[in-house]
Amino acid sequence: MFKMLLSEQATVREDLIDTLKLHSGARVLEIGCGTCRDTIHLLNRNITVYAGDLSHEMLAIGQQRLQDAAADFDRVRLFRADVMRLPFADGFFDAAYHFGGLNLFPDIAASLAEMTRVVRHGGRVVAGDEGVGPWLSSTNFAKILKNSNPLFEHSAPIQHVPISARNVDCRWVLNGSFYLISFDVSSGEPGLDLDVEFPGWRGGSHRKRYFGRLEGVSPQLRDNVVKQAAAEGSSVSAWLEKTLRAAISEK
Ligand SMILES: C[S@@+](CC[C@H](N)C(=O)[O-])C[C@H]1O[C@@H](n2cnc3c(N)ncnc32)[C@H](O)[C@@H]1O
């Protein structure tokens, strides 16, 4: 597959793993490791790898590959697990990696969420699979790949990236035929300062505009309020706050 995409397998796999931005001594999850083709490259870094797969058969071939490559078995643990239920505590890993099977995981959002759950705050998640870049959809390149293998019809599932992800990137590798999603793990929604006042005639802040909405008034009254606020050199938001506070005697 690498050859037909005019790429050198080892170079591509090293590039994919660079996306993890690993530091020496990191503890890394590789799920869907298959026959450990990436595991060998992960072990080139000074890290510990937990390489898991759903299939006993794949893991057996993977173990043999690692033995043949004289891998350091103090730094690699093979285990059988489903990406949807990883047998690790929250935040156990510095990074989580998957390549090659994401499109066919039973629930992509739940799989990415589970990979994210086991990575510490500030760690990285990287996942990729077949999916020709959308800008190439009209090319013979895309049509030929999709004709031979319908998996190339998939799109990068960026809508399934967890809300807690930050610095989300999506790039296409192997000449644009595989997507690679990567992100840093954080928690909750991105932060937003709700109280910065907007300049201009409307005024207000995100908090006032989003959480402070009142029932409407007639269009004519609205226009008159806008005019009155402008005449007093005030934003509409500030004028309304002042006037409504005075009307209910609130400071
Ligand atoms: C196409 S292979 C890719 C293997 C390897 N990552 C590589 O790049 O050579 C996809 C792997 O995902 C595994 N897999 C499929 N569903 C899985 C699941 N729910 N949980 C864990 N692994 C799964 C398969 O057994 C298979 O080994």
Side-chain angles (χ1 to χ4, degrees):
M1 189 267 294
F2 290 82
K3 199 169 169 225
M4 73 174 77
L5 288 162
L6 310 179
S7 303
E8 208 262 314
Q9 181 165 182
T11 310
V12 173
R13 290 196 187 269
E14 287 288 331
D15 171 51
L16 303 179
I17 289 164
D18 281 345
T19 314
L20 288 163
K21 298 182 185 166
L22 297 173
H23 61 81
S24 177
R27 183 156 59 191
V28 178
L29 169 72
E30 183 195 1
I31 189 66
C33 65
T35 61
C36 293
R37 290 179 187 279
D38 276 320
T39 320
I40 296 269
H41 290 280
L42 283 163
L43 288 169
N44 286 341
R45 324 284 162 121
N46 186 27
I47 59 169
T48 303
V49 182
Y50 288 63
D53 200 282
L54 194 57
S55 156
H56 282 298
E57 291 76 16
M58 297 295 254
L59 286 168
I61 300 170
Q63 178 156 21
Q64 189 60 54
R65 186 189 303 283
L66 294 176
Q67 276 165 2
D68 292 347
D72 177 359
F73 275 89
D74 286 343
R75 292 193 295 114
V76 61
R77 293 171 191 37
L78 294 180
F79 66 97
R80 184 185 170 274
D82 186 337
V83 64
M84 308 276 287
R85 277 185 307 278
L86 294 168
F88 302 102
D90 296 0
F92 184 71
F93 293 102
D94 296 298
Y97 176 78
H98 168 73
F99 189 69
L102 186 63
N103 292 328
L104 297 184
F105 284 172
D107 181 332
I108 293 177
S111 302
L112 291 175
E114 183 65 348
M115 288 174 71
T116 303
R117 179 187 69 75
V118 298
V119 172
R120 67 170 169 81
H121 195 281
R124 299 268 298 158
V125 173
V126 174
D129 205 357
E130 284 101 340
V132 178
W135 70 96
L136 293 171
S137 58
S138 66
T139 61
N140 283 330
F141 173 85
K143 290 173 191 165
I144 290 166
L145 286 175
K146 291 174 187 180
N147 180 59
S148 296
N149 181 352
L151 285 173
F152 285 104
E153 300 270 7
H154 284 271
S155 309
I158 40 182
Q159 72 278 21
H160 293 317
V161 167
I163 287 165
S164 61
R166 300 284 185 279
N167 303 319
V168 178
D169 273 323
C170 183
R171 67 183 170 108
W172 279 260
V173 297
L174 287 156
N175 282 340
S177 62
F178 281 68
Y179 61 81
L180 192 74
I181 294 171
S182 58
F183 54 87
D184 297 332
V185 173
S186 185
S187 54
E189 295 189 21
L192 195 59
D193 188 333
L194 296 179
D195 297 310
V196 174
E197 290 282 330
F198 290 106
W201 68 273
R202 192 177 158 206
S205 62
H206 284 307
R207 187 186 307 283
K208 289 173 185 172
R209 289 181 181 187
Y210 190 80
F211 294 108
R213 267 176 266 174
L214 285 170
E215 293 300 317
V217 294
S218 71
Q220 193 183 8
L221 176 54
R222 179 194 175 279
D223 291 348
N224 287 338
V225 165
V226 172
K227 275 189 207 141
Q228 185 64 29
E232 293 182 26
S234 175
S235 73
V236 171
S237 174
W239 189 90
L240 281 172
E241 287 244 322
K242 179 192 74 176
T243 308
L244 293 174
R245 277 184 208 283
I248 60 168
S249 309
E250 189 193 297
K251 293 240 178 255

